[in-house]
Amino acid sequence: MGYNGSMGTNELIFLVTIFTNFVIILSASRNGREYLLATIAANLILISIFGAKLVSIFGFIINTGNVFYAGIFLATHMLIEHYGEKEGYRTIRIGVLVIFLFLLMAQLTFDLTGYFETANVNRAIHDLFRNVPRIGIASIFAFIVAQNVNVRVYGYFKNKTRDKKLWLRDNASNVMGQLVDSILFFSIAFGGTIPNTILMQVMLGGFLAKIIVGAIGTPFLYASRPQN
């Protein structure tokens, strides 16, 4: 797939989504840990709903959940930075609960027989949520493993550098965590449903996208620190 070098609608929406998400997360950090946890829950639900959507961004095939996963890592790093490593591990328990509850309630609601006069709405809901269980399962498994790696690596570099080099621990943990997430999530979510060549493109493109988006988030992490 080629890229002509110009910015199209997809690229513009992609960038607006990144900055909107990060600004909301930064604003949440100013209001306490509960607000940051709320942004993680919201991003996990967004991944479960829209993670199956593949789009072309700057010539790469990626899934739309990449922005939301980068947002989860940014919010997690803010939690660790301001409230300690235990808060990072706490996000795993809360995240699994959020995804499980969403999947369970969505499936039960999905199985209800719709009123015949709303057939078009019912079909739209079916098309939207038919892939949610598989994406949700992929999200849960990948989130548990990748978030453990993310928190552990961030905590390691935070202790190793004695709270210096914020950019290093932010991006190092982002690279390691997103690598694990990309391998697990895309293998579970798309394995057997798309050609292997496309799967590898999506996996590589998704990993690179999350690394780049994660790097864009570094200034927001700096901005979340208390001003002296």
Side-chain angles (χ1 to χ4, degrees):
M1 180 174 294
Y3 175 57
N4 60 15
S6 61
M7 182 180 294
T9 302
N10 268 11
E11 286 77 16
L12 180 60
I13 294 174
F14 183 71
L15 293 174
V16 169
T17 304
I18 292 170
F19 283 100
T20 302
N21 196 17
F22 285 0
V23 167
I24 291 172
I25 292 170
L26 176 60
S27 299
S29 72
R30 304 273 169 80
N31 291 282
R33 71 187 77 188
E34 293 82 7
Y35 286 84
L36 279 172
L37 289 169
T39 66
I40 291 175
N43 277 283
L44 282 169
I45 292 173
L46 287 167
I47 292 170
S48 297
I49 297 175
F50 298 109
K53 185 173 183 178
L54 302 180
V55 295
S56 175
I57 302 291
F58 297 114
F60 290 96
I61 300 174
I62 66 172
N63 85 312
T64 52
N66 291 327
V67 172
F68 308 128
Y69 221 113
I72 290 170
F73 273 38
L74 175 61
T76 301
H77 294 172
M78 288 180 180
L79 280 168
I80 299 173
E81 200 65 34
H82 304 313
Y83 303 106
E85 197 170 330
K86 286 184 179 180
E87 287 298 317
Y89 287 112
R90 186 181 172 215
T91 65
I92 299 172
R93 300 191 298 273
I94 293 175
V96 171
L97 175 62
V98 167
I99 301 174
F100 177 76
L101 179 61
F102 170 75
L103 288 178
L104 179 61
M105 294 298 103
Q107 191 61 50
L108 290 173
T109 306
F110 183 75
D111 289 338
L112 288 171
T113 301
Y115 188 53
F116 72 94
E117 291 189 0
T118 60
N120 290 335
V121 175
N122 295 333
R123 280 195 295 270
I125 292 174
H126 178 272
D127 290 341
L128 176 62
F129 284 94
R130 63 184 174 182
N131 292 318
V132 163
R134 179 166 182 168
I135 298 299
I137 291 170
S139 297
I140 289 177
F141 188 68
F143 177 73
I144 292 172
V145 180
Q147 189 73 329
N148 266 290
V149 172
N150 175 37
V151 174
R152 187 177 295 273
V153 173
Y154 192 95
Y156 170 80
F157 279 101
K158 192 172 190 296
N159 294 327
K160 196 75 173 177
T161 61
R162 298 182 180 180
D163 282 345
K164 297 178 180 178
K165 297 183 179 178
L166 178 61
W167 62 269
L168 176 61
R169 57 180 173 272
D170 181 40
N171 288 281
S173 58
N174 189 46
V175 169
M176 296 303 297
Q178 299 293 14
L179 176 62
V180 172
D181 173 71
S182 295
I183 294 172
L184 294 177
F185 177 80
F186 291 115
S187 298
I188 298 171
F190 298 105
T193 65
I194 58 177
N196 288 334
T197 53
I198 300 298
L199 177 60
M200 292 304 296
Q201 272 192 65
V202 172
M203 193 178 294
L204 177 60
F207 173 64
L208 292 175
K210 286 184 285 189
I211 294 307
I212 294 170
V213 174
I216 293 172
T218 301
F220 290 86
L221 181 58
Y222 273 100
S224 73
R225 299 192 300 182
Q227 300 297 317
N228 296 325

